[in-house]
Amino acid sequence: MDKKITIYINSKEYKVSPNQTIMQAADHLGFHIPRLCYHPKLSIEGACRVCIVEVEGMRNFVASCAYPVSDGMKIHTNTQELRRARRDIVELLVDNHPMDCHTCERDGNCELQRLASSMGIRARHFVGQRKQYGRDLSGQAVIRDPDKCILCGRCVRMCSEIQQVHNLTQAHRGFDTVVMPAYNMPMAESVCTACGQCINVCPTAAFLEKNYTQELFEKLNDPNLIKVAQFAPSVRAAIGEAFGLEAGHNMEGQLVAALRKLGFNYVFDTQFSADLTIMEEATEFLERIQNKGKLPMITSCSSAWMKCMEQFYPDLIENISTCKSPMSMQSALAKTFFAQKIGVDPKKIFSVAAMCCTAKKYEAARPELDVEGMRATDIVVTTREIAWMIKSAGIDFLNIEPETQDHPIGMSSGAGVIFGTTGGVMEASIRTAYELYTGQTLVDIEVESIRGLKGIKEGKVVMDGQEIRVAVAHGLGNACKLLDVVRKDPGRYHFVEIMGCPGGCVGGGGQPYAGVNSIPLDEDALMKRAEALYSIDRAKTIRRSYDNPDIQKLYKEYLQRPGSPIAHKLLHTHYKQKFPQGIIPKEALK
Amino acid sequence: MVEMAQEKMDELRTFIAACMQKEYSDSYLIAVLHKAQELFGYLPVEVMDEVAQRMNIPTAHLWGVATFYHYFNLKPIGKYVISVCLGTACYVKGATEVLEAIKRELGVEIGQTTADNLFTLHEARCLGACGIAPVIMINDKIYGELDAKKVVALINQYRKTAQVA
Amino acid sequence: MPEVHYKITLCDGTSCIRKQSKQIHQILDQELRKRNLKEVVSVHLSGCLGMCAKGPILIINPGYVMYGNITEADIPEIVESHLVHDTPVARLMVEENHLYNRFFRIFGDVDFFGKQMRITLRNCGIIDPENIDDYLSVRGYEALAKVLTDMKPEQVVSEVKKSGLRGRGGAGFPTGMKWEFTAKQPAGEKYVICNADEGDPGAFMDRSAIEGDPHTVLEGMIIGGYAVGSSRGVVYIRAEYPLAIKRLEKAIAAAREHGFLGQNILGSNFSFDIEIRLGAGAFVCGEETALIHSIEGSRGMPRPRPPFPAVSGLFGRPTLINNVETWANIPVIILDGGEWFSGIGTQGSKGTKVFALAGKVRNTGLVEVPMGTTLREIVFDIGGGIPNGRKFKAVQTGGPSGGCLPEPYLDTPIDYESLAKAGSIMGSGGMIVIDEDSCMVNIARFFIEFTQSESCGKCAPCREGTRRMLEILTRITEGKGCPEDIDKLERLGAMIKKSSLCGLGQSAPNPILSTIKNFREEYEEHVNQKKCRAGVCAAMLSYTINDNCVGCGACKRACPVNAIDGTRKEKHHIDPNKCIKCGQCYSVCKFSAVAKA
């Protein structure tokens, strides 16, 4: 235990631990110092100068996020001069920002707006030239609006330090600084994996997902279409936050009801196809084990991870499971098996997915995922978008009577639920693989060692005397670290789960924005959302994918068995190396 | 033409390989970009891509560095680069008149190249020759104590040289 | 006219004056007149020669004979024996071996140089910078040898502390203390950096020092490396200095060849080598942490401190960064002693400082004087005053980070504290003289335009705030200012100074705030009366043709917009609506017939 030191904040004495910054000490003591570029998970910039405080003996103000406390330090956090300086600094940011709050996506939920309001900016003294770069709407999933950027640098740090995709940089200098991909190329041509974490950390609307709500409203009003919906596990665990609830409320029933009220003819559940994915993937895994196929096998449900892999780890393509993601499996079935079942022309089926994920918008557009010449998933909307649609349609989401999903592709086991959190896919797979392989029941169905928010987790299961070593990584940065190990030591693991977002899908790029009292990537919120999913799992009577009666029916009636030719046709895909600008094929480098 | 570019690329590749042998190899990015500009006159996109790959540096990071430092040209430049010093001493001694005269004579703004690809106009911040202000630099040569008339005569001299060559 | 046979230099430094040098001057004058030697003997006053213990000093050339501790009584004997009979007076002669004195011996008779005290620049102009043997012949690398054979690292640090040397890059941090911090860090990989990114417009001290005497900088760095426990040196030099780079490369190669760089230097256990890294056109890279990031291959953006470079710098290792001029002083301090060095200058600012004197002054160039010399002495005595009969208006020190000091401040002594108190800074040594033909508002705008374009863009106060200040100043110079503008400039300036992340932002408002403080009437005239008294801000000028006009038509031909009308031999007329105020007519008129107001 460090010996405590004495500091003074606003003339009162406090004893605090050394080895921390003024901001950390103040936070612990309950003094809130306003801030903008600071984030506990990202490196310290000290750039915004909003968190400045006065330290006696220093001629100038210091950034409290960076300045360490020392014994005897006298700090003032709220003098008139400081308040005025902070106010002027925020005004300078506002003066170089479009004045269109009313028509902005983040109206009411924008950190700049909140800061300006809390600083009491009621007059604008320093109006001058404003930047005008125009928006980049090329991306299928993530769009950029540099005019709204206040250069906090969070997105660059997120993309480089945590996701390690390094797509973004601050370019040029001074007043002309802009955040952009290399060469200012359109996002669609860049190495962007569409993970959407930049949107999560952005304090303004400089990054947004591509919005399909208007188009969806139109389709929902089209009587000639059969509108089918699916929604990811993580959506039900987080959508409540968009309606003012704390993180971790399971709103599954309400969401099903709301989707029906919006106009969907059938409301299914991605958790069903999560179960399906387990069936196919566990079978694929066991085949590789038995026939000495390519190991370790690496999961493929994270679309951001898929793009990342095709760009940076193409040598591991053969390791990737050929299974499509649950969303794409679901949509494929909707337009084949389900269309057949209700006797409808597949072209009339309009398949919509409500996802916690932005990369799924990119995935839906991949031509390899088409079925019978049609696009499988027609529209993907994020949790944020569907929440807005529900509000916009005047649906009383919090008080609506919960409903249940439709058969035949809407029911799920507990294994399907936990797909949304890091370690969940692996745990679900183990539950089935073990029992398929050994024929025995897995007693310890919850695999603790691969749960939780540690970046890279390891575990092992002994199946009939054979030790199966597994690893789980969440966040693309951790994924890259893990895969560098796999490249060097391919025998180290048998099965690897990768989720592109920190925390897994519960932390996806499409989840509700952090509220007034929390920060993006708040670990507490992630844990609460994950816990919601684990509780749903625990509450279910059926907890293994192959116990799901609708899954059994699907195979009996249509797919025959996992890995069958028809299963391969509809539920499996292939990958190939991608060369966005800036990545040169190795042969060309010689 | 293509062979010359190939030769230059090879020279750059050798330079990069030497840097990669050193400790903290990615810190040599700026030195490599200097070399690339020395060889090509500016930083073409293909060259930047290759530098990024060979040095294991993300292209976005390289772009951030290349655009930060004003010394690096991201567009091709003319045969003669005219840098007009606008440092304090030159400013006080009439550098703006010299600059305006050049602009009028060549018909370009700062950062632009003449249509015949002969001259590119830049402004510079203090070339350190304050004693002979106002000063301009054409490629590596410094010319001092100029005025509007003298600088036009100088430009015409260069035009003549280019014609003869 | 008879030739001058002898040249006498009397030291006019403070110490010598106190010891009656003025009276000695008088007696000397009398004696020369008595013997009819006034025409063949010239007498000059020099700046402090730094030999205060032996003062009053009198030097007679040719032959460079130095007389010390002289009294009035000695003068007749000196004149009679030395000047008339060509026999120096042995008992009054003193030996003086300080390093820097060699320059004085050669150039001391030139007024401009004679009034300076060249320690940093002691070899510039005397040795061939591309020939290491020349450097060796002026005791080059002798300091290094002394350090490696006779001194422990702590002793070297102690000597530098004793000297009182402060960082010459501008911040003026006590050099010895910085060395001590770095030396204290745990042993291992450490770096020594020379900041040669001299980016202040109007400053060329570092360039000249490196071009003229690169080895002294290298020697200083090697000694620094020894003192703090580092074996790796880096010179970060701006790419716009190709000659300096070439000379540095040559010097490093020669030093290696001679065993002053590399493994086991001069047979000791100490190894040190130096690498050159180029800048690429970013003024902000003169800031320590930005410089470090630039060497690391990133955008040159500063970061908050602590941690300071001494603790965590280049590649996260303890790093000692000093400016070129600081390094150049080290060999002198080692050989002539820290105590001797601390005898020069003032209480708080020891040694000499190099200034790049430029602007509206007769003699421009590098001026190295002891701290404590006044601005007046530099501008008028050494600089020769304002040319063309114009009046002095202000002197700008410290480059774009400094302030403009008007006439009342001319007697300010040059030292860190006095200049700061006067509202400016020492900075790296830029000193621009401004006369009545310059507009202070425009000058302020010029400086903020520079700092604005060099802002790295990381922190909001500097990135956005300096742009807004520039916009306000531009409007004012275009005649579109409003009364609140001056208050806004002061408000923004004060906030930017206190809130910015690095020194660039913290000092960017200085020229504006100091000109508002010292020349407020000019601002008010611009804003309230739309008048520019210096006749510089074009938008507020009107050009008219007066009765001096002879109708030659030169202006009419020169006008780019055909705004001038008139027939030959008749008074011409400028149409104010067409006039774009380019000033061409004013410059071509040979009859002073065009008036600017």
Side-chain angles (χ1 to χ4, degrees), chain A residues 74-104:
Chain A
K74 298 200 171 86
I75 303 157
H76 296 273
T77 63
N78 231 2
T79 63
Q80 269 304 92
E81 202 187 345
L82 272 172
R83 289 179 59 82
R84 189 182 232 209
R86 289 189 196 130
R87 176 233 169 270
D88 283 353
I89 291 169
V90 175
E91 189 205 315
L92 285 173
L93 291 174
V94 169
D95 283 337
N96 200 359
H97 196 84
M99 295 300 285
D100 62 1
C101 291
H102 296 309
T103 46
C104 176

Side-chain angles (χ1 to χ4, degrees), chain A residues 329-354:
Chain A
M329 283 195 185
Q330 183 85 358
S331 299
L333 287 178
K335 299 207 177 180
T336 52
F337 166 71
F338 177 67
Q340 224 176 62
K341 217 169 195 219
I342 59 170
V344 154
D345 177 7
K347 290 200 190 53
K348 287 205 167 158
I349 307 266
F350 194 76
S351 170
V352 176

Side-chain angles (χ1 to χ4, degrees), chain C residues 100-316:
Chain C
Y100 77 95
N101 213 254
R102 194 159 181 271
F103 185 94
F104 189 79
R105 282 177 212 208
I106 299 173
F107 290 112
D109 53 347
V110 175
D111 243 3
F112 181 68
F113 292 120
K115 293 182 176 159
Q116 299 184 36
M117 183 177 187
R118 294 209 159 201
I119 293 185
T120 316
L121 302 175
R122 60 192 178 282
N123 296 323
C124 295
I126 296 188
I127 62 169
D128 174 1
E130 299 194 16
N131 186 346
I132 191 174
D133 290 322
D134 258 23
Y135 184 66
L136 291 170
S137 75
V138 290
R139 301 183 72 189
Y141 289 109
E142 198 178 304
L144 176 61
K146 177 174 173 189
V147 157
L148 290 178
T149 49
D150 281 343
M151 296 172 82
K152 291 208 207 69
E154 311 81 76
Q155 287 170 302
V156 178
V157 174
S158 161
E159 198 68 29
V160 175
K161 280 179 86 171
K162 216 192 285 176
S163 73
L165 177 66
R166 291 169 69 166
R168 294 294 190 248
F173 190 83
T175 308
M177 219 189 266
K178 204 188 241 192
W179 287 34
E180 197 172 50
F181 284 149
T182 320
K184 269 208 190 99
Q185 300 307 312
E189 192 183 314
K190 291 188 193 177
Y191 290 93
V192 160
I193 297 183
C194 171
N195 184 346
D197 190 54
E198 185 174 57
D200 273 12
F204 53 102
M205 303 75 61
D206 295 346
R207 175 179 68 79
S208 304
I210 296 182
E211 285 177 6
D213 189 9
H215 283 284
T216 192
V217 177
L218 300 180
E219 192 179 357
M221 286 174 74
I222 307 171
I223 293 174
Y226 177 77
V228 302
S230 155
S231 62
R232 306 171 192 221
V234 179
V235 178
Y236 182 83
I237 182 167
R238 57 190 303 225
E240 293 88 335
Y241 281 174
L243 181 56
I245 295 168
K246 175 172 141 229
R247 296 227 164 124
L248 206 51
E249 283 170 344
K250 262 194 146 152
I252 291 176
R256 282 196 191 123
E257 239 178 75
H258 281 70
F260 298 121
L261 282 174
Q263 298 292 313
N264 302 108
I265 297 175
L266 297 179
S268 72
N269 284 333
F270 177 61
S271 305
F272 191 81
D273 210 339
I274 295 180
E275 200 185 329
I276 298 179
R277 297 292 196 118
L278 297 187
F283 170 71
V284 68
C285 286
E287 198 274 344
E288 287 187 339
T289 54
L291 191 155
I292 287 175
H293 288 153
S294 187
I295 297 181
E296 290 173 346
S298 295
R299 290 160 65 84
M301 302 185 37
R303 59 159 173 79
R305 298 176 293 174
F308 288 94
V311 173
S312 169
L314 185 57
F315 306 124

Side-chain angles (χ1 to χ4, degrees), chain C residues 82-111:
Chain C
H82 192 144
L83 300 178
V84 178
H85 297 291
D86 265 334
T87 314
V89 182
R91 72 176 176 85
L92 293 171
M93 279 163 57
V94 290
E95 264 300 300
E96 192 287 319
N97 279 323
H98 285 123
L99 276 176
Y100 77 95
N101 213 254
R102 194 159 181 271
F103 185 94
F104 189 79
R105 282 177 212 208
I106 299 173
F107 290 112
D109 53 347
V110 175
D111 243 3

Side-chain angles (χ1 to χ4, degrees), chain C residues 10 16-30 56 71-72 75:
Chain C
L10 266 179
C16 291
I17 290 179
R18 253 190 283 124
K19 288 191 187 171
Q20 318 301 322
S21 66
K22 288 220 184 296
Q23 288 80 333
I24 289 176
H25 192 179
Q26 269 180 332
I27 305 276
L28 184 58
D29 245 7
Q30 275 170 25
T71 63
E72 296 166 43
I75 297 298

Side-chain angles (χ1 to χ4, degrees), chain A residues 169 172-173 180 183 584 589, chain B residues 49 53-54 60 63 67-68:
Chain A
T169 182
H172 305 289
R173 189 166 91 191
M180 57 170 77
Y183 316 126
I584 304 177
L589 267 186
Chain B
D49 274 347
Q53 289 272 253
R54 285 181 187 272
W63 177 248
T67 53
F68 181 85

